[in-house]
Amino acid sequence: MFFVGRTEELSRLDTARARCATGVGGVTTVCGPVAVGKTALLHSFGDRPAADGALFLRAVGTPMEQDFPLGVVRQLVQSAPLPDEDAQRIDRLLDDGAHTAAFGGTDALDATTVRAVHELCALILTLAAARPVVVVVDDIQHADPVSLQFLAHLIRRIRSASVLVLLGEREHAAPPSAAFAAFAADVERQPHHQRIRLALLGKGSVGELLGHELGPAAAARLTADVHELSGGNPLLIRALLEDMGPAARLDPARRPLRPTVADAYCRAVVGCLYRLDPATVQVARGLAVLGESETTRGLAELLELEPATATRAARTLNDAGLVACGRFRDDRARAAVLDTMTRPDRERGHARAATLLHIDGAPSESVAKHLAGAGDFRAPWAVRTLREAAEAVVAEGDLRLAVDYLKLAERIAPDECTRVSIKAFLIGLEWLVNPAAAARHVPWLAGAVRDGRLSGRDALVCVRYLAWYGRLDEAKAVIDAGWRTCGPGEADARVTAAEARAARVWLKYWYPAVDADSPEPEPEVSVLPATIGRIEGLDLLTAVLAGRLDGDRVYDRAERILRGSRLDDTTMESLTSTLTALVYADRAAAAQEWCVALIDQAAARRSPIAHAMLSAVLGEIALRQGDLLGAEDGAKTALTRIAPEGWGVAVGVPLAARISSAVARGDHEQAARFLELPVPGAMFHTPAGLHYLHACGRYNLATDRPDAALRDFMSCGELMTAWRIDLPGIVPWRVEAARAQVRLGDRDAARELLAGQFERLPDEPSRTRGLALSVQASVVELRRRPALLWEAIRELQACGDRFELSLVFAELGHAYRELGEFGRARRAARRAQHLAEVCQAAPPRTLSRSDRLAAVPDRDGAIPEAREPAALHEPARIGEAGRVAEPGRVRAPEPAAMVAASAAVDEEQPGAGLSDAERRVAALAAQGQTNREISRRLFITVSTVEQHLTRVYRKLGVARRLDLPPWLEEEIAG
């Protein structure tokens, strides 16, 4: 066996052996904690070759033979090379001495036993006269009393003999017997005695051992962790190597990055315990019960031991490397020690630990851990402690542990009132963990509200669950009851009023049709700061829906809320509402940045519903930016984290994103599958229903059912008008309805819808304006279409919707083709195709390579083109304030206005700061060509293209290729 870390100890033993060979006897006691390697050291010493030819006589003390007189001596003599006659004589001597000592009835040796001891000592000394004799007795603490007296007698006579006595002693193995205590005291006072204490292996020795077994590379990687898990105990190190498996030793590729704690390690820990005294085993079990809430005083109280005894036992475990600072080195080892106890013993231990910690004023979380393991232990303070602990761990994000605590509290609750209150809280937590599973409790919750068993703050907290699952009547009843119980000036009334207001704000968003005639809080009952973080995002969203804020004010307020709030289960809905407000205010890019950061926090908190709701918002954001795969991924994550049946009335949001994304990608079969999923009827009383109806309309329009699409879009309009939230940022129903009317051939109705839409748009860049302009282009005469489409392009570029931008470029290509502007038509079609590929969208209806017009050259070709005045095809002018001039908000712009706009553009000479080379590169990039394609066409390197584009971006103040201004499309890239 490979042996490490004991060089100094072996050297001291070699010195003692050398002295023995010169006729100077001695005694050496090798001691140390359990499993520290005493036996291995004695064996290694005996196996070392030496020139003295010493005779080794070996014996091992065991608890089983402790009552068998001369048992250790018999082992020593049996290993001696004696002639048959002497062996038979010694056997008879041992038998007589053992029989006499066993039945003598006193501790004093009688004459027969004394004669046997003397003759046996004489035998050893006779053997030593011929060659050195090394007497090795391991686990001397378990030797029988008569053998101890023999060894004591021998030790007193070997000072001038070639006899070396090696004793292996395990510290703290068991309370020492009187005979061993007397023997140890007698040996300690001998002048030729020395004691060698073995300590745990250091990190260097652990690395050397691992290097021998696994190689130097694995040893360097694993040494620190193995030393941490084993404490340097050789037995535990070997167990960890065994848990790694034989393949780790044979195949370097299969050696782990970290040590694995498994069965062998746990068996080794438990095996070490059974070799210790009962008090130490009891203390080890107590440490396993207490876990991280250990103290020496608490341990002694838990086990009803003297503090000194508990301290000694804890030090024994620490010295053996089984624990570190009073804790097991791995939770699996702690669990293995707990498994050595019976279930009633474990539960009694946890119950006593919980009681002691409660008396000491420990935090509720520490007490609850033991209550969870105490079975049905009941105490007047237990239910309250479990509820407080559940609230604390919810704040830390461990929802599943909180659910476990509340289930136990419900089971041991002393009365029905307490049980109902706890169950309501439990339903709320289960909703956060698994809304689909929580749905089965909703009928009970509604019944408890109707029966009056659930009221006050407990009922108000449940409003969002009732409303989530469509129980609107019960939710309203709870809020009304909450307002009625709010008396001014009382602390409880203030809390109830704050909860009632939070519930009402939440209900006001999800069910806009609910009459807003609930009483406001009395002036003297102020809203508590604790509830502000739960409703300020909802307040912002309702203000946006009411049209009271412009985009910049929405952005400022949202920034303050998002920067000042931390994601937890109380702020989740406020933060998602804040993000939704940004989306509805055409600030999708800002919302995306915050949403991604909040999703990371939700993942870290292991909050399924927060992760799902934020993913649904992210899917809607991606959809509005033309990121179809991002919309698909966000909605898919939302519906994976929470099954569709667990979404309640909010299911319309992620379903709408998946349907709309599938429609845009041309996957109508997938969209149809999601449309077949059942949705609750109450969903159509919420904003989520608007998103769902809008997605249905897009699907019907894409599958050539414009009449059905029109009904869906008009239903959106009727609901939004009735709810007084006719905001285009939610769903642009007028634009989509106008699109459907165009498909149905009713252009007058489409113009009327668009006029109504333009009147409601704010004086700032708007995605809805871009959509409306693109539809308006289809209801005006051909020569006026390009200018409107360029204006739509500018609006959509400002908002970043690449998918809709691809559709507008496709329409622009068609318009140019019908006008005979074939070069421009091809460039617009190419840009549409490129954007569609970026979005992973279905190919737009653009010019194909097989089109007979595809061969017509650009303006730099030999064939001249006849065209309308340039003003009809240039983008609209940008006003002094930096926003798009809007001559066509109600109707298409007049030709004179467009001519003036063109003249202004010509006078301003857009891009005058660009060099000719930069202008050529930018024009090709604006057409959608890649850097490599540009380099091939202009006969320059890709690096030169990148440098030109970097300077173009800086001069034009843009950040990406998509933001290049549309007038570059009109440049001739030579």
Side-chain angles (χ1 to χ4, degrees), residues 198-221:
L198 301 184
L200 298 169
L201 295 179
K203 189 177 292 187
S205 299
V206 173
E208 186 179 353
L209 179 58
L210 293 178
H212 178 266
E213 296 289 342
L214 303 175
R221 187 171 63 245

Side-chain angles (χ1 to χ4, degrees), residues 494-535:
R494 293 182 60 206
V495 174
T496 304
E499 293 290 350
R501 180 173 184 270
R504 189 164 68 94
V505 171
W506 194 91
L507 198 64
K508 183 179 179 180
Y509 166 67
W510 278 105
Y511 292 90
V514 174
D515 292 335
D517 56 357
S518 298
E520 293 292 337
E522 296 293 332
E524 59 268 28
V525 181
S526 59
V527 178
L528 296 180
T531 63
I532 293 177
R534 291 160 45 189
I535 63 173

Side-chain angles (χ1 to χ4, degrees), residues 764-765 794-795 798 877-885:
E764 57 186 13
R794 193 182 302 278
E795 292 283 338
R877 183 180 61 167
I878 299 179
E880 295 179 358
R883 67 175 181 85
V884 179

Side-chain angles (χ1 to χ4, degrees), residues 608-903:
I609 194 164
H611 199 156
M613 292 180 69
L614 289 167
S615 296
V617 174
L618 185 61
E620 179 65 21
I621 293 171
L623 190 64
R624 294 178 183 233
Q625 293 186 315
D627 182 4
L628 303 182
L629 291 184
E632 172 74 12
D633 290 342
K636 183 178 180 180
T637 299
L639 293 171
T640 300
R641 292 281 176 175
I642 301 176
E645 58 270 18
W647 272 92
V649 297
V651 72
V653 176
L655 279 182
R658 296 212 72 174
I659 294 167
S660 298
S661 173
V663 168
R665 289 183 287 106
D667 192 349
H668 298 160
E669 291 184 1
Q670 186 186 54
R673 286 196 297 272
F674 287 110
L675 284 168
E676 291 173 356
L677 292 176
V679 295
M683 180 191 74
F684 296 101
H685 299 284
T686 70
L690 300 176
H691 290 272
Y692 185 82
L693 285 171
H694 179 257
C696 292
R698 295 295 294 263
Y699 171 79
N700 286 325
L701 204 58
T703 53
D704 294 325
R705 289 193 289 267
D707 51 346
L710 181 61
R711 286 194 297 271
D712 291 329
F713 297 135
M714 296 305 292
S715 296
C716 287
E718 292 169 3
L719 292 172
M720 295 169 70
T721 303
W723 297 342
R724 299 192 297 276
I725 58 170
D726 192 0
L727 184 74
I730 304 176
V731 290
W733 67 271
R734 288 184 176 84
V735 175
E736 300 297 349
R739 202 190 303 268
Q741 292 285 20
V742 171
R743 294 281 293 275
L744 290 170
D746 193 346
R747 292 173 175 263
D748 291 337
R751 291 189 187 95
E752 184 179 351
L753 286 165
L754 291 172
Q757 187 66 84
F758 281 122
E759 289 175 356
R760 288 168 172 79
L761 289 174
D763 292 335
E764 57 186 13
S766 167
R767 175 176 175 270
T768 303
R769 178 179 289 108
L771 298 177
L773 288 168
S774 68
V775 177
Q776 187 179 31
S778 64
V779 297
V780 299
E781 57 185 5
L782 176 61
R783 61 194 302 271
R784 298 165 60 185
R785 288 180 192 170
L788 286 172
L789 291 172
W790 278 116
E791 197 173 344
I793 287 170
R794 193 182 302 278
E795 292 283 338
L796 293 173
Q797 280 186 324
C799 297
D801 191 335
R802 291 171 290 183
F803 170 67
E804 294 291 346
L805 199 58
S806 72
L807 299 182
V808 177
F809 269 110
E811 292 298 327
L812 183 63
H814 286 294
Y816 278 140
R817 181 177 62 175
E818 294 179 22
L819 287 167
E821 298 282 348
F822 302 120
R824 287 176 173 174
R826 281 179 39 188
R827 288 194 294 274
R830 190 183 301 122
R831 188 67 181 272
Q833 188 70 31
H834 172 71
L835 287 169
E837 291 172 358
V838 170
C839 300
Q840 301 285 312
R845 296 183 298 112
T846 59
L847 295 174
S848 65
R849 298 302 301 174
S850 61
D851 195 298
R852 65 183 180 87
L853 299 177
V856 178
D858 293 340
R859 285 184 296 178
D860 53 339
I863 302 176
E865 296 183 8
R867 62 174 62 87
E868 298 294 333
L872 298 181
H873 318 306
E874 294 291 341
R877 183 180 61 167
I878 299 179
E880 295 179 358
R883 67 175 181 85
V884 179
E886 300 173 9
R889 287 186 61 182
V890 178
R891 59 184 184 276
E894 296 297 331
M898 290 187 287
V899 172
S902 177

Side-chain angles (χ1 to χ4, degrees), residues 142-178:
H142 294 313
D144 61 275
V146 181
S147 294
L148 291 174
Q149 294 196 45
F150 160 77
L151 289 170
H153 184 64
L154 175 65
I155 289 169
R156 286 191 292 269
R157 299 179 60 187
I158 63 172
R159 187 168 185 181
S160 58
S162 297
V163 178
L164 173 62
V165 178
L166 294 181
L167 305 176
E169 177 186 345
R170 185 164 72 242
E171 296 175 349
H172 312 300
S177 63

Side-chain angles (χ1 to χ4, degrees), residues 265-342:
Y265 180 86
C266 295
R267 286 197 304 270
V269 170
V270 172
C272 289
L273 291 183
Y274 283 120
R275 296 165 64 183
L276 297 172
D277 64 285
T280 304
V281 174
Q282 188 179 4
V283 167
R285 288 171 173 167
L287 289 174
V289 168
L290 287 176
E292 297 183 357
S293 37
E294 97 298 338
T295 63
T296 302
R297 185 177 69 85
L299 186 64
E301 286 184 314
L302 173 70
L303 302 174
E304 299 180 333
L305 294 174
E306 290 294 330
T309 302
T311 301
R312 178 193 62 79
R315 185 170 61 249
T316 298
L317 295 169
N318 192 77
D319 291 346
L322 300 179
V323 300
C325 301
R327 300 176 186 174
F328 285 93
R329 296 179 179 271
D330 188 86
D331 285 339
R332 279 158 288 195
R334 174 176 172 253
V337 174
L338 286 174
D339 287 342
T340 65
M341 305 171 65
T342 64

